[in-house]
Amino acid sequence: MGERALRLAAILLLAIGCRQELPAPDRDHLSADALRFARHLMARDYAAAHAMTTADYRARVSIDSLGRAFEFSVPRSMSPVDSLFVQMTDTMAGWAVRQPGDVGWIYVVIPADSTRDGEAVSLIFAREAEGIRIRDVEIGRP
């Protein structure tokens, strides 16, 4: 198992064991944004998804890199866009990866089609001058 997969697995295990659900207003707003981001990915509109990220993320990860990472895990034959759903949210209180400005974590499930297992997108949201944006993107399930 690669380092990235181990990191995502550790985050998920921590989230499941120590989960602190986001308060309703934040959860609803961030969940809607997370679903919109995932729908952009499923529609292969990587520029729109990329635009929802923080300035730091946009500087580190190109639109093409985001698209390649997504298509590696989620082929074009996967689930229709309307089957996405938010499975977990968390405040990230006590998480080692939490940074100043972080407001929450959202795990969006991309359900399986009949030929393969499903996938997921794990997102960390952070507050910056432009508002709340996606600071980190992990594509794939643990």
Side-chain angles (χ1 to χ4, degrees):
M1 187 179 284
E3 181 181 331
R4 182 174 173 203
L6 286 172
R7 188 173 82 173
L8 183 57
I11 289 172
L12 277 177
L13 287 174
L14 179 64
I16 292 167
C18 304
R19 204 166 122 222
Q20 294 182 359
E21 187 80 17
L22 287 165
D26 293 337
R27 182 183 61 240
D28 296 345
H29 174 75
L30 295 181
S31 292
D33 282 352
L35 287 170
R36 187 164 48 101
F37 180 84
R39 284 185 183 106
H40 286 318
L41 293 177
M42 288 296 293
R44 302 328 197 222
D45 189 351
Y46 302 123
H50 197 257
M52 294 180 68
T53 62
T54 61
D56 178 67
Y57 183 90
R58 292 189 307 269
R60 289 183 293 111
V61 179
S62 70
I63 294 170
D64 289 340
S65 293
L66 176 62
R68 279 192 306 275
F70 186 72
E71 292 195 16
F72 178 78
S73 293
V74 183
R76 292 184 182 269
S77 62
M78 271 214 39
S79 304
V81 173
D82 63 353
S83 65
L84 304 169
F85 65 94
V86 170
Q87 184 174 34
M88 289 184 271
T89 67
D90 200 288
T91 62
M92 297 177 61
W95 287 28
V97 296
R98 185 177 174 99
Q99 296 180 8
D102 284 352
V103 295
W105 171 83
I106 305 277
Y107 186 80
V108 178
V109 174
I110 302 168
D113 58 22
S114 61
T115 62
R116 60 174 286 146
D117 293 332
E119 291 294 346
V121 180
S122 178
L123 306 170
I124 295 176
F125 285 83
R127 187 176 314 281
E128 66 176 12
E130 300 169 336
I132 296 175
R133 301 285 194 154
I134 297 165
R135 175 180 69 78
D136 191 50
V137 178
E138 292 283 341
I139 298 168
R141 58 190 168 78

